[in-house]
């Protein structure tokens, strides 16, 4: 029997899902594909390449209210924002962005559970779409970063483009339940050994693991000054990234009534670590850029066992100053430790 | 209640320690929090001045004082400026306790030396009172405390208490020019006072908190007195927002001060990239 699904089959399944859940999927806009809720399966961009901004905001929004306070009330009141978690399907997430979700999971569940994140995460079904070819051949380097462009092990459902259609398999019980009554049969999820050979994405010559290993020992290397020369500290690289998770917590309101909110933040900003005294342990852009690289390729992997970069290449394409993460990693790959200072 | 939601606390007493340093004595508004709240010396919390945000302070009172907690802070910015204007009866927010703590059980039977400058006394005052409230379990308690001027000494009444006790050795000092006509303590910088006092190290511990310059010049003195890096303990103050390892702000190298700190031994700090900027 032909196990291949057509786009029409995917639409039929999506329409069925839409009856019970919100679906957030890539939709085409004049500014390129973006993640947005769809009301109709016809709105979904089935072959969308890559969105400029990752889907992470659907799990960790740019701006969210934590609670409202009213100190004028008697007694004073704190009212927590409802955990805004309608059952949601994140549809057609490429493997790099599924890996981004895994990266967020590790942080948001590290000892303390971040409830707003967790509520959204628990209510979200991740439907992945494998990449047949690199959406951005110049900048995608997922395979080099250890992410298989053809396979997303942390997804609930895996859709794989094949010759003449798609195969669909369920990777979790939730994924399987979502496919009940699907228009076409499922493909059995292959055991690790039986899986197709890891796909290659992009045309870049880069070994991220080697570059990451080479970073240890280059912390005090003067090369950081020249490497980060162009960076203007705009934070764009963090905002487009699927795995960046830094945030700021601020109050909006006055001493009587208002809200405590959290907003995305970025280590590229000069005030990020500044103390009230004026002292700043990262007073120069080169040190802030170095923090970004070390966080993604050294500190986070030491704690959680995988990179905090999924090789999606968005930051390479988005940086207004032409900073190129791939080139930076290549510098270290080419000239490993032993030069420069400790760490 | 969720991670980022503070508990309301009522201020029932305040004390102006110096012109810009204030202590708040706080009690939980919720009765069950008064019962159930517990923490360990060295831990910190995030204190809310609603409308301005949160600030990170250590809990400056010891866990042995069951009915309330205290914080002591210097007004340096937006949140602390608002907190400074709070008085008894006002309500603020608190969440915590967070971070690691002083491993008190490991200190039992040992001599404890505290080397402190200026506003850095609060985190160690928590430990000092914890030790004094369980006095029999520890060896000598020696305190070297200095500030820029007499006016800048915090917890003045407690310094008098400690000075009067036979089971505490207290050395106080103020920077040259910071003395008053009736000042009875020493005159000179903390590292110098420490050198003259020259307490024995033995198998004891030295707790060092103060401005970076004081720490820098105290370290060689402690080394000369025989304190090994594993016997020297300090607490760090990095900028924090979440306090729980998520906002990505407080790290020094791969170490998150909010989770793996704020208490570190000098030996642990040697492994961090702190000499340079980080
Ligand atoms: C674990 C820990 C314990 C501390 N204990 C004390 C204490 O007991 N007493 C005391 O006076 N101070 C203490 N501090 C420093 C205190 O947190 C800051 O002085 C205070 O947050 C400044 O806040 P502000 O809003 O008034 O300043 P603003 O300039 O308005 O600061 C805005 C934000 O910056 C952050 N920030 C600014 N300066 C610092 C700093 N030096 N350290 C950390 N975060 C900063 C805060 O998150 C604050 O919300 C401690 C810091 C840490 C990390
Ligand atoms: S690397 Fe580029 S995108 Fe990132 S902060 Fe610097 S200038 Fe902005
Ligand atoms: S650092 Fe750049 S390439 Fe890596 S995951 Fe983030 S946006 Fe993608
Ligand atoms: S304060 Fe947020 S990570 Fe440490």
């Amino acid at each position: 029997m032909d196990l291949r699904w057509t786009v029409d089959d995917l639409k039929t399944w999506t329409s069925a899902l839409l009856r019970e859940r919100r679906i957030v999927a890539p939709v085409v806009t004049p500014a390129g594909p973006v993640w947005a809720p769809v009301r109709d399966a016809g709105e979904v961009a089935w072959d969308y390449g890559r969105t400029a901004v990752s889907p992470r905001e659907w799990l960790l929004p740019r701006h969210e209210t934590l609670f409202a306070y009213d100190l004028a009330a008697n007694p004073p009141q704190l009212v927590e924002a409802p955990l805004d978690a309608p059952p949601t399907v994140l549809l057609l997430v490429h493997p790099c962005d599924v890996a981004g979700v895994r990266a967020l999971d590790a942080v948001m569940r590290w000892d303390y559970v971040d409830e707003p994140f967790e509520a959204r995460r628990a209510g979200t079904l991740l439907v992945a779409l494998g990449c047949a070819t690199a959406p951005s051949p110049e900048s995608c380097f997922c395979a080099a970063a250890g992410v298989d462009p053809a396979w997303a092990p942390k997804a609930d459902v895996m859709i794989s483009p094949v010759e003449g259609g798609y195969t669909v398999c369920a990777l979790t019980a939730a994924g399987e339940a979502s496919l009940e009554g699907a228009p076409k049969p499922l493909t059995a999820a292959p055991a690790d050994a039986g899986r197709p050979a890891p796909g290659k994405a992009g045309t870049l010559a880069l070994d991220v693991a080697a570059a990451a290993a080479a970073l240890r020992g280059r912390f005090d290397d003067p090369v950081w000054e020249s490497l980060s020369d162009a960076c203007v500290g705009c934070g764009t690289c963090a905002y487009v990234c699927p795995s960046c998770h830094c945030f700021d917590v601020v109050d909006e309101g006055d001493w009587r009534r208002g809200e405590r909110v959290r907003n995305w933040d970025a280590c590229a900003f000069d005030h990020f670590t500044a103390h009230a005294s004026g002292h700043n342990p990262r007073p120069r852009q080169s040190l802030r850029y170095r923090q970004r690289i070390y966080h993604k390729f050294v500190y986070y992997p030491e704690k959680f066992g995988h990179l905090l970069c999924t090789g999606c290449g968005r930051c390479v394409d988005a940086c207004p100053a032409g900073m190129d993460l791939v080139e930076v990693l290549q510098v270290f790959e080419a000239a490993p430790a032993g030069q420069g200072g400790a760490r | 209640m969720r991670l980022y939601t503070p508990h309301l606390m009522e201020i029932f007493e305040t004390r102006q320690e110096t012109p810009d340093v204030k202590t708040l004595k706080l009690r939980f508004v919720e009765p069950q929090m008064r019962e159930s709240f517990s923490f360990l010396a060295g831990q910190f919390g995030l204190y809310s001045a609603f409308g301005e945000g949160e600030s990170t302070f250590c809990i400056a009172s010891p866990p042995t004082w069951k009915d309330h907690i205290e914080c002591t802070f210097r007004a340096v910015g937006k949140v602390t400026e608002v907190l400074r204007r709070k008085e008894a009866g006002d309500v603020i927010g608190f969440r915590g306790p967070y971070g690691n703590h002083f491993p008190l059980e490991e200190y039992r039977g040992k001599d404890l030396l505290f080397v402190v400058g200026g506003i850095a006394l609060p985190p160690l005052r928590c430990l000092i009172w914890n030790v004094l409230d369980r006095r029999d379990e520890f060896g000598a308690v020696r305190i070297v405390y200095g500030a820029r001027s007499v006016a800048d000494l915090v917890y003045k009444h407690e310094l008098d208490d400690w000075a009067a006790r036979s089971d505490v050795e207290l050395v106080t000092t103020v920077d040259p020019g910071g003395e008053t006509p009736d000042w009875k303590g020493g005159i000179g910088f903390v590292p110098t006072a420490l050198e003259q006092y020259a307490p024995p190290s033995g198998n004891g511990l030295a707790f060092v908190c103060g401005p970076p310059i004081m720490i820098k010049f105290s370290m060689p003195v402690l080394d000369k007195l025989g304190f090994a890096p594993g016997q020297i303990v300090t607490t760090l103050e990095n900028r924090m927002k979440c306090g729980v390892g998520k906002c990505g702000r407080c790290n020094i190298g791969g170490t998150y001060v909010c989770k793996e700190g704020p208490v570190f031994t000098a030996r642990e700090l040697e492994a961090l990239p702190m000499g340079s900027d980080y």
Side-chain angles (χ1 to χ4, degrees), chain A residues 111-151:
Chain A
D111 291 0
Y112 297 89
V113 172
D114 186 291
E115 298 96 342
F117 173 86
E118 193 60 30
R120 283 184 290 262
R121 181 71 177 89
T124 299
L125 192 80
L126 280 176
V127 178
L129 174 67
C131 288
T133 53
S136 172
E138 300 77 36
S139 63
C140 283
F141 60 101
C142 58
V147 174
D148 182 350
W151 195 252

Side-chain angles (χ1 to χ4, degrees), chain B residues 19-57:
Chain B
D20 61 353
V21 176
K22 188 158 177 172
T23 295
L24 306 180
K25 298 190 176 189
L26 302 162
R27 225 178 253 135
F28 285 104
V29 169
E30 304 150 72
Q32 72 273 24
M33 278 302 291
R34 292 187 196 181
E35 294 295 311
S36 64
F37 183 76
S38 68
F39 71 100
L40 294 163
Q43 291 191 288
F44 64 89
L46 276 96
Y47 299 74
S48 289
F50 295 102
E52 283 302 344
E54 292 180 306
S55 259
T56 318
F57 311 131

